[in-house]
Structure formats: structure tokens, C-alpha cells
Amino acid sequence: MSKSTAGKNIENPYHKMIEEVQDYAILMLDKDGNILNWNLGAEKIKGYQEAEIIGKNFRIFYKDEDRANKLPERLIAEATTHGRAMHEGWRVRKNKERFWGSIVITALHNENNEVIGFTKVTRDLTERKLAEEQLKQNTKELEFRNRELEQFVYIASHDLQEPLRKIQVFSGLIEKNLDDKESAARFLERINAAAKRMSILIKDVLQYSKLSKGEGLEVPVDLNTVLKGALEDFDLLIEQRKAVVNFVPLPVIMGIPIQLHQLFTNLLSNAIKFSKENPSIEISTASVSGQEIENAGLSPDKSYVKIIFKDQGIGFDPKYKEDIFKFFKRLQDIEPGTGIGLALCKKIVENHDGHISVISQPNQGTTFHIILPTLFN
Amino acid sequence: MPSPTYLLIDDDADDLEIFGLALQDTRLEYHFVTAGNALEALDLFRDAHFLPAYIFLDLNMPMKTGKEFLTEIKSSEKLRHIPVIIYTTSSHPNDVGETERLGAAHYLVKPSSIDSLTRILVKLFNKQPLPYFLTEEIKDLVM
């Protein structure tokens, strides 16, 4: 709009301009924060019509917790003292939807330099905010995949080499001892054992890499049912080892049933495997403090429950408490597992936006803490 | 002079046997002593007369890792002079660098044939100059 046409057609072109700006909510507040005027941008961003909002306090745009924390009052106070207050945060539209607002409140003064009110300019940066959060999420996912890749490199350089090398060595020995049938048969046996181990390792690695984050596959899962199923899988072993499993009622969470079943069976089999006689396993729940959520690096926006698997087994040196969740890390040499069980557990818990940790001492049992988001989030 | 003692510390029964066969093929005189893990090996050293000429040490073992054992040996006034040769499947650069810093004499990647292992051992026992990182893929090592 050129100056000359504006001058001709509109009596107060400046006022009109403000009124018709669509990308910014521009309003005036009295010195208590009550709304004095409204523009098209404010209507678009916040959803209220002029008639219903004039005279209301601008606190109405803030979330309950921000109002409880007196954020609007603090911004007004800051603008009064410093002439200006800036803030970014989630605000509430008329239809209760949230938007990410970037606001500037500027104090208006009379001739005696007394504050008589404020102007408030708000921009809706929801899309930018969501894009930033997506980017953060993607980076986190990428870092996770990268760590996984490093583990795969280690597996390729060590665990998968080992059976192959043995096959090479023993077939070389057979070649040298072709006439000695007895030795040849013994070396062939070793070759078969190595090949079998190789095949189990590859299956395990595939199983691990197939464990994906089941976007859309999550359903409400009753952990009592999951536990019952896992106990049924082991009923023979439990009977043989005279194991006692005590448990409390468990919650219902959002999750992928098959993965949670795998999680419970792995934890149970570990507890039984690493107990000397009459394994005793306690499964209980606990609430999760804000500090624990922060320490575990979990999103503070969700509520969580903790599930505790405690055994009286042989335990291990606490210096290995991170290592045991890595691939093929076997601390005890007492059974022929491939050492993938706890790596699977960790991945399953992380797929569910949770956290797993362990407390242990040699001969004093092992306790796993699994923090998972509750159903109501 | 009495024949030298070689100690191999490895939790893998196949590898203990393979190493023994490779030693036989050197046709040298020696005593071969094995330990299934680092704690067993430390028990052997309680005998003050037990002083092997070389220690061959696997890295990935339960209870106590090879690196922990290496650190202990190198902090012992009496044992620090025994050359320790890392004997492992891993050729991960981190492991190679770390063990060299910890004072290992060589890093020998478990070869895929007995003959390669025998050839490398003969060169080592004959005190021929060898690089820190030993694998059968280095041509002049196995010729």
C-alpha cells in the first residue's frame, strides 16, 4: 500500500495496518495485563474473536502450570522494570490446542515516564519448534544406530571371526592327518561345533537387528499376562531347579507384546541360570522419581513405572554394570549362551522409550530396574 | 640350560590345543603350561620358581580380562620383565593400541593355520626382530 492511497482511503492508516497484519498477534494491554485491542493476526493465532476477548486478562493464553507459576505476571513485571520482556514457550489456543509462541511485551509510558500499559507481539513458531524437535529426535536415533554399528564392527572383528578361524585351523589339521582316521574324526567334530556356533551367532545378530521400534504396533499390554506367559515357557526349568518366583500385580503399559515377552523371558532365564541352587526371584514395582527420570535421560513429559527383577544368584562385579548390556559380553563361563540376552533386553526397553539398569555384587544377587512409560501419557 | 617355559592363558579349550600342536611343530625344547583364566595364572605365580620365558595372553576372558592381568603383571617388580604376547582373535585397533601402552611385547592375532602359528613362534623364540602387531597376513612373517 503506497502512502498516497492510504492517505486517501483510510482515516487512520496506522491503526488499520496493525489490525490487518495476519502473521503477528499485536495487542495492547492495560497495566494489569487486560486486553484492550485485537488484530487479525491475534484472531488467527489464538482463535478468539475480538468481541469475546476484549477486557479479558492475557493470562488466558497460558498453560495451567505456567499460570500457577505466575509466568504472565513475571513477564509483566519484567517489562515494567526493563521496558521489555521476551519469552518463547507453549501457549494455548481457544480450542485448547497448543502453539509455540515467541512473544515480546513492551511497556508504554506517559509523559511522567509511568507505565500505562503494554504492547504484546506474538508469533506462532509451532512449525519451526516441531521441526527442531524432529531434528533432535532424528539425531538421537542416528547416534543410537551409530553405536549399534560400532558394536557390529566389533562383533565382525571378533566373535564372528573366532569360529571361522577354528574351522580353518582344524581343516588344515585334517589335511595333514588324512591317514589318521581317529584324529580326523576328532577335528571334524570341532569343525562342526564351530560351524554350529557361527550359525547361532548369526541368527542372534539377525534377531537383534530385526527388533525394530514398532511405531504403530504398540497396544495396551497387561504385564501380568506377559509374566504368566514367560513363566509358562520356563515351567519345566522352574520345576527342575526348584525355583521360586514371587511377584506383585503388574501394570498395563503401551507396548509391543512379543518384545515384552522376550524381555521377561530373558530376565527370568538369566535369574534362574545365574543362581546356584533353589533360585529365588522377586518381581515388584515402584514409582519413579523426577531425579531418576533425569538420570536415566528419559523424557520428563511422561510418567513412568519401575519394574524390579531381583534374584539371589551369583551376582557380578559392579564394574561390569554397563558391559553386561553389550553384545556377546559374557562375564561367567558357566553356560554356552551367546551373550546376546541382555543386549536384546536393553534394545527392547529403549524401543519402549524406557531405561534398564542393574545393581549387583558377587554372591549377593542381581537386581534389574526397568523403567517404562505408563499407559496414561 | 633348562628348557624354557611358555605360559598360555586362554579360556578356549580349542585354542589351548591348537597352540600346543603348533609348539610341538617347532621341534624345540620347552615346557608348556596353560591356565584357563587370569586368576588361575596368578595362582601359578604364587610358586616363586615359576618364571616363564614368555606369557601368551588372551584378552576376552571371564572373571578377569587379559588387560587387567597385563596391568597387574607389569606392576610387579619380579614379573614385569617377562615378555607378554597378546594372543587373541580381535584385531580391533583399540585393543592393539591399548595393550601396547600397557606394556605388552607383541600383539599376535590368532592365525588360521597351525603352520603360520608355528613359523611366527619360531621367529619369536629365535629373537628375530618382529613388529609389535603380528598377523599371518604379514608376508615375511610366515615365509
Side-chain angles (χ1 to χ4, degrees):
Chain A
M1 178 184 330
S2 77
K3 218 173 172 182
S4 60
T5 52
K8 250 182 246 166
N9 301 332
I10 298 158
E11 268 182 72
N12 187 345
Y14 185 72
H15 192 96
K16 201 73 195 154
M17 177 185 87
I18 301 266
E19 226 169 62
E20 293 195 10
V21 165
Q22 297 198 18
D23 299 317
Y24 293 81
I26 304 173
L27 31 142
M28 262 174 76
L29 308 174
D30 70 13
K31 61 185 182 7
D32 298 318
N34 296 316
I35 297 159
L36 299 176
N37 75 341
W38 200 237
N39 76 337
L40 197 58
E43 189 181 316
K44 275 187 82 166
I45 293 172
K46 299 173 199 274
Y48 297 93
Q49 303 286 325
E50 183 165 1
E52 56 185 337
I53 198 74
I54 298 287
K56 296 259 168 58
N57 194 281
F58 85 113
R59 293 165 46 91
I60 196 169
F61 307 134
Y62 286 75
K63 294 187 298 176
D64 292 345
E65 54 263 46
D66 286 342
R67 289 209 296 247
N69 291 331
K70 304 236 177 278
L71 176 61
E73 286 79 358
R74 279 188 281 130
L75 292 172
I76 287 285
E78 195 186 326
T80 308
T81 326
H82 301 291
R84 199 159 80 122
M86 297 184 358
H87 189 259
E88 275 199 22
W90 290 109
R91 300 287 187 268
V92 186
R93 298 189 217 273
K94 185 188 174 189
N95 64 8
K96 303 286 177 220
E97 248 178 49
R98 294 200 173 169
F99 69 97
W100 186 262
S102 162
I103 64 144
V104 185
I105 297 175
T106 312
L108 299 172
H109 302 88
N110 63 13
E111 304 91 74
N112 301 327
N113 210 22
E114 292 160 346
V115 173
I116 50 168
F118 304 91
T119 61
K120 179 170 177 286
V121 179
T122 302
R123 270 194 300 161
D124 179 353
L125 298 181
T126 308
E127 274 176 36
R128 195 192 72 184
K129 177 72 183 168
L130 292 179
E132 277 172 12
E133 278 180 2
Q134 186 63 47
L135 197 66
K136 250 191 237 165
Q137 185 60 38
N138 290 353
T139 310
K140 223 172 122 186
E141 176 90 15
L142 215 59
E143 280 167 359
F144 180 67
R145 298 275 162 232
N146 232 335
R147 280 202 302 278
E148 240 173 42
L149 204 64
E150 275 170 24
Q151 283 197 337
F152 276 114
V153 169
Y154 195 82
I155 292 163
S157 76
H158 187 271
D159 299 87
L160 297 180
Q161 289 290 350
E162 201 157 274
L164 266 186
R165 177 178 54 82
K166 284 187 185 167
I167 291 170
Q168 288 172 308
V169 170
F170 287 121
S171 51
L173 281 169
I174 292 178
E175 216 172 2
K176 275 201 204 167
N177 296 281
L178 275 180
D179 300 328
D180 180 353
K181 278 210 163 140
E182 211 173 288
S183 307
R186 202 162 53 85
F187 294 136
L188 263 178
E189 211 172 277
R190 303 291 188 81
I191 289 176
N192 279 329
K196 205 166 147 193
R197 178 162 166 80
M198 182 86 186
S199 151
I200 294 172
L201 285 174
I202 291 172
K203 268 189 209 133
D204 278 357
V205 171
L206 286 180
Q207 194 192 7
Y208 180 89
S209 66
K210 269 194 288 192
L211 267 189
S212 55
K213 202 166 152 65
E215 305 287 2
L217 293 176
E218 280 149 339
V219 292
V221 183
D222 184 347
L223 292 180
N224 297 296
T225 316
V226 174
L227 177 60
K228 204 171 147 234
L231 287 172
E232 275 165 13
D233 285 359
F234 286 115
D235 56 3
L236 202 65
L237 189 62
I238 288 172
E239 203 185 299
Q240 280 170 354
R241 299 286 315 272
K242 297 193 170 53
V244 179
V245 184
N246 289 314
F247 51 91
V248 299
L250 299 176
V252 177
I253 64 161
M254 282 302 278
I256 306 156
I258 183 145
Q259 291 192 10
L260 292 168
H261 179 83
Q262 268 181 305
L263 173 68
F264 275 43
T265 50
N266 273 311
L267 290 172
L268 273 177
S269 82
N270 260 321
I272 298 172
K273 211 185 306 177
F274 296 119
S275 292
K276 285 198 174 108
E277 48 216 24
N278 304 347
S280 155
I281 301 152
E282 301 274 342
I283 301 164
S284 56
T285 61
S287 58
V288 187
S289 72
Q291 189 60 49
E292 280 177 283
I293 294 171
E294 199 187 317
N295 291 348
L298 296 173
S299 160
D301 301 336
K302 291 182 179 173
S303 57
Y304 296 88
V305 60
K306 181 160 41 180
I307 296 154
I308 301 163
F309 273 74
K310 183 173 166 51
D311 69 47
Q312 313 286 339
I314 57 178
F316 60 85
D317 191 319
K319 72 181 170 190
Y320 295 119
K321 70 189 172 68
E322 307 289 337
D323 282 347
I324 65 161
F325 294 111
K326 289 185 186 154
F327 258 115
F328 302 134
K329 187 76 191 183
R330 277 185 300 152
L331 303 180
Q332 320 285 350
D333 211 21
I334 59 170
E335 68 84 50
T338 54
I340 201 166
L342 288 172
L344 278 177
C345 288
K346 187 173 161 69
K347 189 162 180 188
I348 289 170
V349 173
E350 283 173 359
N351 279 352
H352 286 77
D353 298 323
H355 182 261
I356 184 167
S357 60
V358 67
I359 300 169
S360 190
Q361 281 293 339
N363 301 316
Q364 289 176 31
T366 301
T367 306
F368 285 95
H369 287 194
I370 299 117
I371 300 176
L372 290 168
T374 58
L375 186 57
F376 308 102
N377 270 305
Chain B
M1 209 172 106
S3 50
T5 298
Y6 304 133
L7 169 63
L8 170 62
I9 310 167
D10 197 327
D11 63 323
D12 187 315
D14 285 344
D15 279 320
L16 295 177
E17 181 179 353
I18 291 167
F19 199 92
L21 291 171
L23 274 179
Q24 273 177 27
D25 287 353
T26 64
R27 297 169 196 279
L28 300 167
E29 293 280 313
Y30 58 88
H31 290 295
F32 181 41
V33 181
T34 62
N37 61 59
L39 296 181
E40 258 178 47
L42 289 174
D43 272 347
L44 290 172
F45 284 106
R46 285 195 190 162
D47 174 357
H49 300 293
F50 182 67
L51 276 176
Y54 289 96
I55 299 171
F56 294 88
L57 177 64
D58 186 21
L59 288 183
N60 214 351
M61 290 183 292
M63 262 90 84
K64 192 186 270 289
T65 67
K67 287 174 196 166
E68 290 167 323
F69 177 83
L70 179 59
T71 311
E72 278 181 48
I73 286 287
K74 289 297 162 192
S75 61
S76 152
E77 201 52 52
K78 190 181 144 218
L79 306 175
R80 70 195 315 165
H81 305 293
I82 305 172
V84 177
I85 290 110
I86 305 299
Y87 181 64
T88 175
T89 316
S90 160
S91 53
H92 203 280
N94 290 352
D95 290 338
V96 179
E98 196 183 343
T99 51
E100 187 169 19
R101 275 194 301 283
L102 290 173
H106 294 284
Y107 190 104
L108 170 54
V109 180
K110 289 177 179 172
S112 59
S113 87
I114 299 247
D115 291 350
S116 310
L117 180 54
T118 303
R119 285 190 203 106
I120 293 172
L121 290 177
V122 168
K123 281 179 201 261
L124 180 74
F125 299 150
N126 287 337
K127 307 231 181 318
Q128 294 187 21
L130 291 170
Y132 177 71
F133 185 65
L134 300 171
T135 102
E136 61 189 323
E137 281 134 41
I138 301 178
K139 284 277 178 311
D140 49 332
L141 281 184
V142 290
M143 286 298 170

